[in-house]
Amino acid sequence: MNWINGFELLCYCITVMLLTDAIIHKRWTELRLFCSAALAGFILELLAVRVTGIYHYSPDFFIDLGFEPYQFPFFGGLMWGGLTVSGLRVSRKLHLGKLLTALFTGWLIVSMDMLLDVAAIRLDGGFWVWEGRPITLDVNCHMFMSVIWVNFLGYLFETPAVVYFFLKAEEKADKRSIGKLILQTLLIGLGGVAVVGAASGLSLFLNDMTDEWFACVAYLFLWTLILCGMMVQAVRQKLSFGISIKQNWTTLVFWGAIYGYCLVALWRLGIIQTLPVYGVFALCVTVFTLLLSCKSNKEPLPAR
């Protein structure tokens, strides 16, 4: 089996695991968040490959939506939902407030993406291909090891937008009927699409005006700012750090499976050996995320 289909099957498995866990424990809020984020993911990806023309996906996935060259692998939309739920499970443990919780959820996802995307564009001819972009290990204002900075910046728009809308909506969730909750779920997903559409359009415009410096600087600034904000709040609150694998095993397996795939792929490609500093970064974000994943806490999302 090739790397593409191996990752596709892995993602289906851990997504099913996550959803099964949510259903067994009646975490209906997680299911609604999953649906909102997945809806946003499907719409944004299908629009991006059709409208922007800056990348296209490999035709080798088992299940695709759309027709070549505008197809999008089905598991990708599901993973937007799974990553958002798993990211929020982790970030809620730090009691950061709605805005910073939303931003840190996006930070967790995009930090993992800085490993996954670097490997994905090199395995089996690429999970996807950036049009007109050479495959190199260079880091400059145009690309991070051949991944464009706008790609990373988009995660700091989409995921925080969906999570923030979701957290605000949950304040009144108990007072809403099932029909209104379904409508709310759809609106949260569409709200995420609207935010990303506007923010990405502006980013692409500013990128053209600045020879692609805007996305690079904006992403690095926001990534660092969110990390510092999280650490400051954690210190202020003097958060305890107990470990409970039994309580958090599904979250740990979800993140561990993705990071494990990334590290093995990066090693197999020889990237970690060629760039040891990047290898240290990869190991640090892996350990950081996995430690937070098994931090003791109350249930991440109460049943409604």
Side-chain angles (χ1 to χ4, degrees), residues 40 43-44 161 165 187-200:
I43 293 175
L44 287 169
F165 293 153
L187 290 176
I188 290 172
L190 294 175
V193 172
V195 170
V196 175
S200 294

Side-chain angles (χ1 to χ4, degrees), residues 61-80:
F61 292 100
F62 288 130
I63 305 175
D64 288 318
L65 295 178
F67 300 97
E68 195 173 347
Y70 305 115
Q71 80 281 359
F72 166 61
F74 182 70
F75 84 92
L78 300 181
M79 282 300 291
W80 280 67

Side-chain angles (χ1 to χ4, degrees), residues 17 27 94 222 266 294-295:
M17 175 199 68
R27 296 176 184 149
L94 302 179
L222 289 173
L266 291 169
C294 49
K295 179 183 181 298

Side-chain angles (χ1 to χ4, degrees), residues 166-178:
F166 170 79
L167 293 176
K168 290 293 291 184
E170 281 306 289
E171 295 175 349
K172 300 179 180 180
D174 287 331
K175 301 178 182 179
R176 296 183 182 276
S177 65
I178 294 178

Side-chain angles (χ1 to χ4, degrees), residues 18-37 81 85 88-89 92 166 169-170 173-174 176-178 181-182 184-186 188 299-304:
L18 191 70
L19 294 177
T20 301
D21 178 68
I23 292 171
I24 290 175
H25 293 93
K26 298 182 179 180
R27 296 176 184 149
W28 310 125
T29 54
E30 286 192 344
L31 295 180
R32 295 203 297 274
L33 175 60
F34 176 90
C35 291
S36 294
V85 170
L88 184 57
R89 281 187 177 186
R92 281 173 67 103
F166 170 79
E170 281 306 289
D174 287 331
R176 296 183 182 276
S177 65
I178 294 178
L181 287 173
I182 293 175
Q184 182 186 85
T185 299
L186 294 174
I188 290 172
E299 292 294 336
L301 286 175
R304 296 293 187 187

Side-chain angles (χ1 to χ4, degrees), residues 54 133 141-143 148-151 153 199-219:
I54 60 178
R133 304 282 180 163
C141 68
H142 304 293
M143 298 181 297
I148 61 174
W149 291 102
V150 169
N151 175 72
L153 189 59
S200 294
L202 179 61
S203 296
L204 290 171
F205 172 75
L206 293 174
N207 250 16
D208 289 338
M209 298 289 291
T210 60
D211 190 29
E212 298 191 325
W213 274 100
F214 172 77
C216 173
V217 174
Y219 172 73

Side-chain angles (χ1 to χ4, degrees), residues 19-295:
L19 294 177
T20 301
D21 178 68
I23 292 171
I24 290 175
H25 293 93
K26 298 182 179 180
R27 296 176 184 149
W28 310 125
T29 54
E30 286 192 344
L31 295 180
R32 295 203 297 274
L33 175 60
F34 176 90
C35 291
S36 294
L39 174 64
F42 279 121
I43 293 175
L44 287 169
E45 289 284 3
L46 289 170
L47 284 175
V49 295
R50 183 75 187 188
V51 175
T52 65
I54 60 178
Y55 69 102
H56 66 269
Y57 280 94
S58 167
D60 295 334
F61 292 100
F62 288 130
I63 305 175
D64 288 318
L65 295 178
F67 300 97
E68 195 173 347
Y70 305 115
Q71 80 281 359
F72 166 61
F74 182 70
F75 84 92
L78 300 181
M79 282 300 291
W80 280 67
L83 284 166
T84 302
V85 170
S86 292
L88 184 57
R89 281 187 177 186
V90 173
S91 59
R92 281 173 67 103
K93 297 179 181 183
L94 302 179
H95 312 290
L96 301 172
K98 292 182 180 66
L99 180 58
L100 192 50
T101 294
L103 289 171
F104 188 56
T105 302
W107 187 96
L108 288 168
I109 295 173
V110 78
S111 296
M112 177 278 299
D113 204 49
M114 293 180 74
L115 280 58
L116 177 61
D117 283 12
V118 171
I121 61 174
R122 291 168 166 83
L123 295 169
D124 296 330
F127 290 18
W128 61 88
V129 175
W130 298 108
E131 301 291 354
R133 304 282 180 163
I135 301 296
T136 74
L137 294 179
D138 295 341
V139 178
N140 50 46
C141 68
H142 304 293
M143 298 181 297
F144 176 82
M145 299 168 70
S146 292
V147 182
I148 61 174
W149 291 102
V150 169
N151 175 72
F152 296 132
L153 189 59
Y155 278 101
L156 293 182
F157 296 146
E158 189 274 341
T159 302
V162 170
V163 171
Y164 184 76
F165 293 153
F166 170 79
L167 293 176
K168 290 293 291 184
E170 281 306 289
E171 295 175 349
K172 300 179 180 180
D174 287 331
K175 301 178 182 179
R176 296 183 182 276
S177 65
I178 294 178
K180 289 184 177 179
L181 287 173
I182 293 175
L183 177 61
Q184 182 186 85
T185 299
L186 294 174
L187 290 176
I188 290 172
L190 294 175
V193 172
V195 170
V196 175
S200 294
L202 179 61
S203 296
L204 290 171
F205 172 75
L206 293 174
N207 250 16
D208 289 338
M209 298 289 291
T210 60
D211 190 29
E212 298 191 325
W213 274 100
F214 172 77
C216 173
V217 174
Y219 172 73
L220 293 175
F221 174 77
L222 289 173
W223 189 92
T224 304
L225 186 65
I226 293 168
L227 177 61
C228 291
M230 180 278 296
M231 296 180 68
V232 167
Q233 289 299 317
V235 170
R236 285 180 176 177
Q237 297 177 28
K238 299 179 181 179
L239 294 176
S240 59
F241 202 91
I243 297 295
S244 175
I245 294 178
K246 180 179 179 180
Q247 181 189 45
N248 303 289
W249 73 269
T250 52
T251 308
L252 182 62
V253 169
F254 188 95
W255 285 109
I258 298 176
Y259 271 113
Y261 180 95
C262 292
L263 292 176
V264 170
L266 291 169
W267 183 267
R268 180 69 177 271
L269 290 165
I271 296 175
I272 292 177
Q273 299 91 315
T274 304
L275 296 174
V277 172
Y278 177 69
V280 171
F281 168 78
L283 185 61
C284 286
V285 295
T286 298
V287 172
F288 180 63
T289 303
L290 295 184
L291 282 176
L292 287 180
S293 294
C294 49
K295 179 183 181 298

